[in-house]
Amino acid sequence: MPLITEPHQFNVGDLYVDLLGIVGQPLYLKCEGFNFAGSIKLKAAAEMVAAAERSGALGPDSVLVESSSGNLGVALSMILAGRGRRFECVTDSRCNPAAVRLMESYGAVVHLITEPGSDGGFLTARLDHVRALCARDDRYVWLNQYANPDNWGAHYRTTGPEILKQFPDVEVLFVGAGTTGTLMGCARYIRDEQLPVKVIAVDAVGSVTFGLPPSRRLIPGLGTSTPPAIFDASFADDVVHVSEPDSIAMCRRLAGHGFLFGGSTGTVVAGALDWLSRNPMSGTGVLIAPDLGERYLDSIYDDGWLASNYETEGAR
C-alpha cells in the first residue's frame, strides 16, 4: 500500500491511453493528470521548490511568488501548503476559475491581471507585476519558471526516461509548448541519449514562441506572448501550430469517447494528426496529456462560452 507524507510524493507516471480506435493512428497518450495537483506541472514545481530550498534561496520568512496560467500555480500552492510556506500566484483573466479557487483553497494569494502589457500580451503584464512585488519587498522569492533550468530538468530526469522505458522504440514524440519545460527536458534527454526519436513541438496559433505573429488566445496552458529564456528551437525537429477551435473540437471528440482532457491535450492530439497527415509514421507515436478536463467545464466544454468567443462552427 503506498504511503505518503507530502502530497507531491504521489504521481502516476505510467498510464497511457491507446488512441488508435479514436483517431486511427498508433498513438499513445501519456496521462500526467493523476496526482494531487492534477497536472504535469507538479514535476517542475517540486523540482524548483526543492532546488530553492537546497540553495537557501527560500528562507523561513520567504514568500514564494510565481507567474502561472494556472496549473503550475495550483501545484506550487499545494506543495507549499504542505510545507507551511507562503505562496502568491500572479495569473491573468484567462486562468480557469477552478484553478483560482484551488489555489485560494490551499491558502495562496492570487493576483489576477486583467490588462495586457505593453506588447499586448498578458505574460508581459504578469512578469512586470512579479518584478514589482520583488522590488517592493525582499522577502519575495521568484522561481521564474521561464528561465529556471530546474523546470526542464524535472522532465529530463522523469518524463523523458518514463516514456522511453514504456516505449523504447517510439518513433515520434509530440509535446505541447508552453513554458517549454516539458519540451526542452524531453528533447534534451533524447538528444543526450542519442535516440532516433523525432521530437515535434505543438504550439497554439497566436503564440510567438516559434516566431509567428501574436494573436488572441483564450485557452491557458500552451503558447506564449514572450519566448521563454529556457527555450531553444534547435531541440525540436519540427513544429505544428493548432487553432483554438481545432483544439476544442479535439477535446470534445475525446470526451465523446469518455476521455475528458484539458485544452493542451486537445491541441497536442490535433497537432499530431495534422503533422502525421503530411509525414506518415511507420512506428508508434507518443503524446503528452498535461492535465484532465474538469477545470475546463466552464470554458471549452461550455456551449455558451464557445458561442460567445468563437465565430467558427468547427469546434461545435
Side-chain angles (χ1 to χ4, degrees):
M1 177 183 68
L3 185 65
I4 64 173
T5 57
E6 294 187 74
H8 72 275
Q9 294 170 339
F10 171 77
N11 192 15
V12 176
D14 58 356
L15 178 64
Y16 293 78
V17 175
D18 185 346
L19 295 178
L20 180 62
I22 300 176
V23 302
Q25 292 278 4
L27 295 172
Y28 298 90
L29 187 62
K30 189 179 194 300
C31 300
E32 290 280 355
F34 292 96
N35 56 60
F36 285 106
S39 82
I40 195 170
K41 290 292 189 177
L42 175 64
K43 292 176 172 177
E47 194 86 5
M48 290 190 293
V49 169
E53 289 179 332
R54 286 194 303 269
S55 69
L58 279 179
D61 298 324
S62 296
V63 181
L64 193 146
V65 61
E66 185 57 84
S67 161
S68 169
S69 62
N71 281 340
L72 181 71
V74 172
L76 287 170
S77 298
M78 182 197 76
I79 291 171
L80 295 167
R83 299 186 180 188
R85 289 189 175 276
R86 295 172 59 191
F87 173 60
E88 298 189 15
C89 181
V90 179
T91 188
D92 62 66
S93 52
R94 297 170 302 173
C95 182
N96 294 322
V100 173
R101 291 195 296 269
L102 278 169
M103 288 187 273
E104 291 175 338
S105 296
Y106 286 124
V109 174
V110 179
H111 301 253
L112 194 66
I113 304 301
T114 58
E115 296 295 331
S118 57
D119 62 353
F122 278 100
L123 178 57
T124 301
R126 281 165 30 196
L127 296 182
D128 286 345
H129 191 78
V130 170
R131 294 187 182 101
L133 289 173
C134 293
R136 185 189 316 159
D137 190 332
D138 60 10
R139 291 177 302 169
Y140 281 97
V141 175
W142 180 23
L143 293 177
N144 193 0
Q145 62 165 325
Y146 312 98
N148 193 324
D150 290 305
N151 183 351
W152 65 259
H155 302 287
Y156 185 97
R157 289 182 276 276
T158 61
T159 312
E162 287 168 0
I163 291 169
L164 272 299
K165 178 181 179 181
Q166 192 80 18
F167 296 95
D169 297 322
V170 60
E171 181 179 342
V172 187
L173 174 64
F174 298 92
V175 188
T179 66
T180 69
T182 307
L183 173 64
M184 290 294 98
C186 291
R188 285 175 181 273
Y189 174 78
I190 286 169
R191 182 173 294 186
D192 285 353
E193 294 295 316
Q194 300 182 331
L195 301 170
V197 182
K198 289 183 179 178
V199 177
I200 310 303
V202 182
D203 201 4
V205 169
S207 167
V208 306
T209 304
F210 287 88
L212 293 189
S215 62
R216 185 187 75 153
R217 292 179 293 111
L218 299 179
I219 301 175
L222 297 188
T224 66
S225 56
T226 302
I230 60 172
F231 173 62
D232 183 341
S234 70
F235 282 91
D237 294 295
D238 203 353
V239 59
V240 58
H241 287 83
V242 178
S243 70
E244 291 194 333
D246 287 344
S247 300
I248 296 167
M250 182 55 68
C251 284
R252 291 178 169 221
R253 181 178 174 184
L254 293 170
H257 290 268
F259 294 104
L260 196 73
F261 286 107
S264 297
T265 299
T267 303
V268 172
V269 177
L273 295 181
D274 183 18
W275 190 86
L276 290 171
S277 70
R278 301 183 301 276
N279 303 273
M281 182 174 60
S282 58
T284 61
V286 172
L287 309 82
I288 298 176
D291 60 6
L292 302 178
E294 292 93 337
R295 295 175 192 174
Y296 303 83
L297 294 178
D298 294 329
S299 55
I300 62 178
Y301 293 105
D302 182 83
D303 288 341
W305 181 88
L306 186 62
S308 65
N309 287 294
Y310 301 93
E311 296 179 1
T312 179
E313 297 294 316
R316 292 184 182 273

